Amino acid sequence: MAQLDKVVAIKNLTERGGPSSLWHAPLIARLRAPDRDIRISIPVEMDDETIQIFEGYRIEYNNTLGPYKGGIRYHPDTEVNEVKALAFWMTLKCAVAGIPMGGGKGGITVDPKKLSKGELERLSRGWVQRLSDILGPHKDVPAPDLNTTPEIMAWMADEYKKITGDKTGATFTGKPIDQGGSEGRGPATGLGGFYVFDALRAEVGLPQKCRVVIQGLGNVGSNAAQVFIDHGHIVVGISDSKGGIYNPNGIDIKKLLEYKKNTGATAGFSKEDLNSKEKTNAELLELECDLLVPAAFENVIMGSNAMRIKAKAILELANGPITPEADEILFRKNIPVVPDILANSGGVTVSYFEWDQNLKGEHWSEEEVFDKLRIILEDSAKKILTQAKQSGTSLRMGAFILALERIREKMK
Ligand code: NAD
């Protein structure tokens, strides 16, 4: 909540002549705690016929803008405070994207790799059995998150249908396409990041053809790399957990992905592509380029390396890749950061499209999904830029202010 206090302080500074308390008091009071904090125990019959009890959660943080929306994560370290923080984050993320959804998050404390497929299915169905009363297309719409797959979402949607008779399928998103999932969900986050970048590129002073460095070669990083290349930019650096590759003439991503598929890593690719050099992940972040795209995991740009970042701008596709200390340093160095809450909101936006299609009984083409995604993200990116300029703040603070304004407007 420290971020919330900071946003309020900035908003107060930018409000000349108006009683600032009117802007924030009821809103902040509401947002300090979730609407509902639900903990459940889920008994599961294991394959050896013993019963094991798992702890599960659903935090319904705020539904001012629409039904609670947010993923369910399965992880041994998942606990209620983490889920609560993520549910608050979803409240802001949906508001930034400008979609009619509120914020929620769920989870189960479990290492899914230690369960058989049958145990995993019984656990997932158990989560729904305990929570079916509070879920629903107009109440609470869960999605996948860490370690929850389209197959798990299909089990959950099926269990919900059995219990309630609801046939819309709109209570769970992230389902397989043949079971009501949306076209385009796979590349949505990487592609959405590109749309946001494209809307802001000229404003943040980047050239028409950018040299791009991407950290991460998973779903988000690999899709983003391909989209940047398809739009005439050059990806000069990219990495996975084992290290990175740098080629000033541009990396052939398809060839690199093929190499990684065969060998399990990008390391060693310089023997295939003689113009490229191997780099460590630390070196990769500090390469000279127009745009740096952290797309792997959190806290990779910190107080200790922020001063050495040479990119002209940063697009945060991972969640929380820049620490608050590094954020201040980058702001002082005049390196614009397009914040995660906007840059990676393509995923949740297509989740909202899935819900919308299910409720209307429609199935949109991939082209239609991408067109709608571009319109929504371009609009939010431009509004955030205007807000940041008006307030004299970073794009991140501009995004927070826009999110809080949207919630406050609706709350009135
Ligand atoms: P993923 O698991 O598919 O890929 C992660 C990538 O990061 C892999 O290439 C992995 O090798 C790399 N990586 C892991 N450890 C690393 C390290 N130490 N150094 C460099 N690279 C490392 O995950 P993803 O779905 O692509 O998600 C990436 C980030 O984007 C995460 O922060 C996630 O929360 C965020 N995000 C994802 C989505 C989505 O739709 N998938 C939506 C919003 C945000």
Side-chain angles (χ1 to χ4, degrees), residues 106-400:
I108 301 178
T109 309
V110 60
D111 182 351
K113 291 189 193 90
K114 293 194 175 145
L115 301 188
S116 70
K117 193 169 170 182
E119 289 166 345
L120 192 62
E121 179 172 352
R122 292 193 287 281
L123 175 67
S124 305
R125 289 182 183 273
W127 190 90
V128 179
Q129 286 156 15
R130 283 280 189 263
L131 292 169
S132 63
D133 282 354
I134 60 145
L135 304 175
H138 300 288
K139 294 199 275 188
D140 187 340
V141 183
D145 193 70
L146 204 60
N147 293 325
T148 41
T149 58
E151 186 178 36
I152 292 177
M153 301 323 286
W155 292 332
M156 290 186 156
D158 180 62
E159 191 62 28
Y160 185 79
K161 186 171 89 179
K162 273 192 199 158
I163 297 170
T164 64
D166 177 77
K167 293 195 180 66
T168 63
T171 301
F172 291 87
T173 61
K175 302 180 293 294
I177 291 185
D178 61 1
Q179 291 176 58
S182 179
E183 303 287 342
R185 176 60 187 91
T189 305
L191 180 66
F194 174 78
Y195 289 156
V196 169
F197 153 83
D198 209 30
L200 299 177
R201 182 190 57 74
E203 288 285 348
V204 297
L206 292 183
Q208 260 178 351
K209 188 173 178 175
C210 287
R211 287 166 308 124
V212 183
V213 169
I214 302 177
Q215 185 192 43
L217 196 53
N219 170 293
V220 178
S222 60
N223 278 303
Q226 196 54 60
V227 182
F228 272 96
I229 292 169
D230 291 346
H231 287 81
H233 302 282
I234 315 173
V235 174
V236 294
I238 197 156
S239 68
D240 62 18
S241 58
K242 295 187 185 122
I245 288 289
Y246 172 66
N247 180 345
N249 303 322
I251 296 165
D252 182 335
I253 293 297
K254 286 200 176 92
K255 212 166 143 190
L256 178 64
L257 286 172
E258 192 56 37
Y259 178 85
K260 188 176 154 85
K261 205 167 119 194
N262 295 333
T263 64
T266 57
F269 185 66
S270 58
K271 289 188 202 92
E272 297 262 315
D273 172 358
L274 297 177
N275 290 320
S276 69
K277 283 192 191 123
E278 311 276 326
K279 295 276 173 194
T280 65
N281 260 293
E283 289 167 343
L284 187 104
L285 292 171
E286 295 169 20
L287 286 172
E288 208 142 325
C289 62
D290 295 306
L291 183 72
L292 175 62
V293 185
F297 65 111
E298 66 280 358
N299 298 337
V300 294
I301 303 177
M302 303 162 281
S304 54
N305 62 354
M307 276 313 282
R308 295 195 297 274
I309 299 293
K310 295 178 202 75
K312 296 195 184 99
I314 300 177
L315 180 74
E316 286 187 324
L317 288 190
N319 279 317
I322 300 177
T323 65
E325 188 188 358
D327 214 29
E328 295 278 349
I329 297 172
L330 295 169
F331 187 61
R332 283 204 304 275
K333 277 185 73 173
N334 246 332
I335 299 179
V337 174
V338 184
D340 50 5
I341 198 169
L342 168 68
N344 69 26
S345 63
V348 71
T349 305
V350 174
S351 276
Y352 152 63
F353 292 164
E354 181 176 335
W355 171 85
D356 199 22
Q357 290 169 76
N358 292 159
L359 283 180
K360 291 174 175 157
E362 294 175 356
H363 187 79
W364 305 342
S365 67
E366 190 177 80
E367 199 185 356
E368 203 175 343
V369 167
F370 292 165
D371 283 348
K372 287 176 196 280
L373 182 65
R374 181 187 268 279
I375 291 168
I376 287 190
L377 293 186
E378 272 181 5
D379 181 61
S380 286
K382 286 182 180 149
K383 287 200 169 99
I384 284 164
L385 181 74
T386 307
Q387 181 65 64
K389 277 185 182 168
Q390 273 171 6
S391 321
T393 61
S394 64
L395 289 167
R396 191 185 310 283
M397 282 300 153
F400 287 156

